[in-house]
Amino acid sequence: MRVAPNNKQRRTLITIAIVVVCVVATLYAVQLLRSAVVDIPHPGVSSQTAKPQPIHPRKMNVVVYGVPVRLIIPKLAVDTRILPMGLTAQGDMEAPRTNEDAGWYHYSPNPGNKGSAVIDGHRGVTRSAIFTKLSSLQKGDEVRVVDSQGRTSSFTVQTLRTYDKDASAYDVFHSSDGGSHLNLITCNGDYESAGRTYAQRLVVFSDKTVIGS
């Protein structure tokens, strides 16, 4: 037996129905908003800009050479140790104490690095020395230097020049072209017994060998 609701019951049922409809409508609206947020990207952000790829600096194949320890000149059959040299009391570059050693001016760059590295050696007076035949080098001949880490830098002879012993040798020790150079120095000319030296200096200018040249 169905009992018809009275007016109070009808009003209660209508209120409940309105509330249910509002709740359902609200849930639907929230679902739509969630879908909209997922589909719309954040202003200025994309899949590429949100996680930028790291930028690595370009790798430079630059070798930094250490202190030179050995000099090799194949044409002259030279293979000898290199000792560090400074300046004499007169302001000249020191020379090795023996005829067999070469001397590296330690105020100059390490051979192979940028600038003009300078190595000297004796020509010899009564007997031959390490640079006795240095004047026989010609353009294109090879000179090699081994550093304290076992790395070898190779140089190609460019030219030979002669200087009076008291002349300025600025260009022997300085370079402004940004390249790597090795300059070899020894005595030359007539022997002056009074000063126990030679009247001139011979310099062999060489440039670091470019691979593939």
Side-chain angles (χ1 to χ4, degrees):
M1 177 177 179
R2 179 179 295 178
V3 180
N6 56 31
N7 290 337
K8 184 178 180 180
Q9 290 174 331
R10 288 195 187 95
R11 287 196 298 271
T12 300
L13 291 172
I14 292 172
T15 300
I16 293 173
I18 291 172
V19 171
V20 171
V21 170
C22 289
V23 170
V24 172
T26 300
L27 292 173
Y28 183 73
V30 169
Q31 184 63 33
L32 288 176
L33 288 173
R34 286 178 177 175
S35 300
V37 170
V38 171
D39 293 338
I40 300 175
H42 190 278
V45 178
S46 68
S47 61
Q48 294 180 345
T49 58
K51 294 181 179 181
Q53 297 297 318
I55 299 175
H56 299 287
R58 184 173 58 184
K59 294 182 180 180
M60 304 297 289
N61 295 322
V62 177
V63 176
V64 178
Y65 293 93
V67 173
V69 296
R70 198 152 201 86
L71 175 68
I72 302 171
I73 308 177
K75 183 176 181 178
L76 305 184
V78 168
D79 186 345
T80 189
R81 66 176 179 171
I82 299 173
L83 303 177
M85 297 288 128
L87 293 172
T88 66
Q90 293 73 35
D92 298 324
M93 178 180 172
E94 290 181 328
R97 293 183 178 275
T98 70
N99 284 342
E100 292 77 24
D101 296 323
W104 164 62
Y105 184 54
H106 67 78
Y107 295 113
S108 70
N110 297 349
N113 297 339
K114 288 185 178 181
S116 293
V118 181
I119 292 178
D120 66 359
H122 291 291
R123 173 184 171 179
V125 180
T126 59
R127 60 190 180 92
S128 63
I130 195 69
F131 281 168
T132 297
K133 298 181 180 179
L134 194 66
S135 60
S136 65
L137 288 180
Q138 297 176 322
K139 181 178 176 63
D141 288 334
E142 182 186 22
V143 179
R144 298 196 296 265
V145 176
V146 182
D147 72 3
S148 56
Q149 303 301 316
R151 292 168 296 200
T152 300
S153 52
S154 181
F155 299 84
T156 303
V157 173
Q158 300 299 317
T159 187
L160 282 70
R161 298 179 192 169
T162 301
Y163 296 79
D164 290 337
K165 72 177 190 302
D166 297 323
S168 171
Y170 181 87
D171 56 338
V172 177
F173 296 87
H174 300 85
S175 173
S176 59
D177 63 2
S180 300
H181 311 284
L182 174 64
N183 302 329
L184 308 178
I185 303 176
T186 194
C187 294
N188 195 49
D190 297 327
Y191 181 72
E192 299 176 345
S193 56
R196 301 182 62 183
T197 186
Y198 283 87
Q200 298 175 326
R201 302 293 181 264
L202 173 67
V203 182
V204 175
F205 292 85
S206 64
D207 297 342
K208 188 175 181 182
T209 304
V210 177
I211 297 176
S213 63

